[in-house]
Amino acid sequence: MAVRENPKPHITEIMKSYRPLLLALPCAMSLAVTEANAAVLIYDDFSGNNADNVNGTTPDTNIYNANTWQADSINYLRADGSLLDEAGDSNNVDRGAFLHVGTGIFATNTTYTVTLDFGQLEQSAIFLGFSDVSTPDPITNLTDSTAQTKGSNNFAIRVREFTNDQDVAIWNRVGGANSQTIVNATMSDFNDASYVVSMTINSNSLTDAEVTINYGGSEQTVNADLSGMQYFYYGVEDADLSSAQGTMGVVNSVTFASVPEPTTATMGFLGLACMLFRRRRN
């Protein structure tokens, strides 16, 4: 008696078996795209004119409010991201631009990233981070916007290129006392047009959050109090011995974003599809 071979499943039957997954994937992908698009909270690529100060310009994205950058009245911070030393003397240039976001910048149990894209740094340091309510308020005292020393609590990315002192660090001001934690000090200069440094913030606790930078294979973490933060800022400081006029560096873009995570709806679509697929196979 001849043994009847099982016929190979027709392509139509195969497609029917996978139909639940095929139907669910577009929905899940659409949700994932929506989540990713909603992740950017503040972004600016500084596409203004070199002749203009960044003061009064509006970031490309700011989901919190319609506030503008508030910078000191001296044109050290240009609308195209250039950081200029117009004095050309040995006085310490220390200027910043503040975006008043207000309370509620951070939520608990959320991961955030802060990204600084910069270049052509010479005899100066760039800061990018957050500050709490400062005394005096930088918005009303713009002639003294020492960005990294504003407020009782302050934390930021710091990149520095002084004569014999180049590094990436976490700047951390706690209770009015300044400190820096070096992440990587092996680079020789920052002469190229673009370098990217990112800082990760895990807000499991708003009063004791973990702030981490990984750069050049080295990683450091400090703890920061997020509860009173109201300002997103960037700033520049030149070396005390620098006496040349000209560009101290360029800020290509700044980004503050929440890290997208799969939502319950996204995972639900995929989970339901897998259950239906399994039942159909059985």
Side-chain angles (χ1 to χ4, degrees):
M1 180 177 179
V3 178
R4 183 180 178 183
E5 295 182 357
N6 292 329
K8 293 183 179 180
H10 192 270
I11 185 65
T12 303
E13 295 300 319
I14 296 175
M15 295 299 291
K16 285 181 179 179
S17 296
Y18 283 93
R19 182 178 177 82
L21 281 174
L22 294 174
L23 290 175
L25 277 174
C27 296
M29 291 175 66
S30 177
L31 282 172
V33 169
T34 300
E35 293 161 10
N37 289 341
V40 176
L41 308 177
I42 299 173
Y43 173 78
D44 203 341
D45 65 0
F46 303 104
S47 56
N49 296 319
N50 178 266
D52 299 328
N53 190 289
V54 73
N55 185 45
T57 64
T58 304
D60 298 315
T61 301
N62 177 10
I63 71 163
Y64 297 98
N65 51 44
N67 288 344
T68 62
W69 291 109
Q70 299 297 305
D72 55 84
S73 58
I74 303 173
N75 288 329
Y76 288 107
L77 310 180
R78 297 296 173 89
D80 66 347
S82 298
L83 308 170
L84 300 185
D85 184 350
E86 292 191 326
D89 55 28
S90 297
N91 293 327
N92 191 31
V93 172
D94 200 345
R95 293 291 183 263
F98 296 84
L99 185 66
H100 190 196
V101 181
T103 58
I105 299 178
F106 297 97
T108 56
N109 299 316
T110 306
T111 301
Y112 299 92
T113 58
V114 178
T115 304
L116 170 65
D117 185 330
F118 71 98
Q120 300 175 348
L121 192 62
E122 183 176 359
Q123 294 296 302
S124 58
I126 300 175
F127 298 80
L128 175 65
F130 300 89
S131 178
D132 62 4
V133 177
S134 60
T135 304
D137 188 326
I139 304 304
T140 58
N141 190 41
L142 300 179
T143 59
D144 183 28
S145 53
T146 307
Q148 71 273 19
T149 59
K150 288 295 185 184
S152 298
N153 295 297
N154 179 319
F155 68 95
I157 297 169
R158 186 199 70 190
V159 291
R160 179 171 58 178
E161 197 285 313
F162 291 168
T163 303
N164 295 306
D165 192 2
Q166 298 87 20
D167 58 56
V168 172
I170 303 174
W171 176 267
N172 195 20
R173 179 177 172 86
V174 180
N178 301 324
S179 66
Q180 55 272 337
T181 302
I182 304 298
V183 179
N184 190 300
T186 62
M187 62 285 300
S188 59
D189 56 52
F190 289 111
N191 290 333
D192 292 340
S194 177
Y195 299 87
V196 176
V197 179
S198 292
M199 176 169 62
T200 301
I201 305 163
N202 291 316
S203 63
N204 293 332
S205 168
L206 288 183
T207 57
D208 192 31
E210 292 185 345
V211 177
T212 302
I213 293 179
N214 186 313
Y215 190 84
S218 300
E219 181 176 289
Q220 292 289 344
T221 299
V222 303
N223 293 94
D225 185 352
L226 311 180
S227 59
M229 298 300 167
Q230 292 195 39
Y231 297 95
F232 184 56
Y233 78 86
Y234 76 98
V236 62
E237 176 184 12
D238 76 344
D240 291 335
L241 299 179
S242 178
S243 59
Q245 287 182 317
T247 301
M248 294 184 287
V250 176
V251 177
N252 298 316
S253 67
V254 296
T255 307
F256 174 45
S258 60
V259 177
E261 297 179 359
T263 64
T264 302
T266 304
M267 299 308 294
F269 270 112
L270 292 176
L272 178 61
C274 290
M275 288 177 62
L276 292 173
F277 175 66
R278 184 174 181 182
R279 290 180 60 184
R280 189 175 185 88
R281 288 289 297 256
N282 292 339

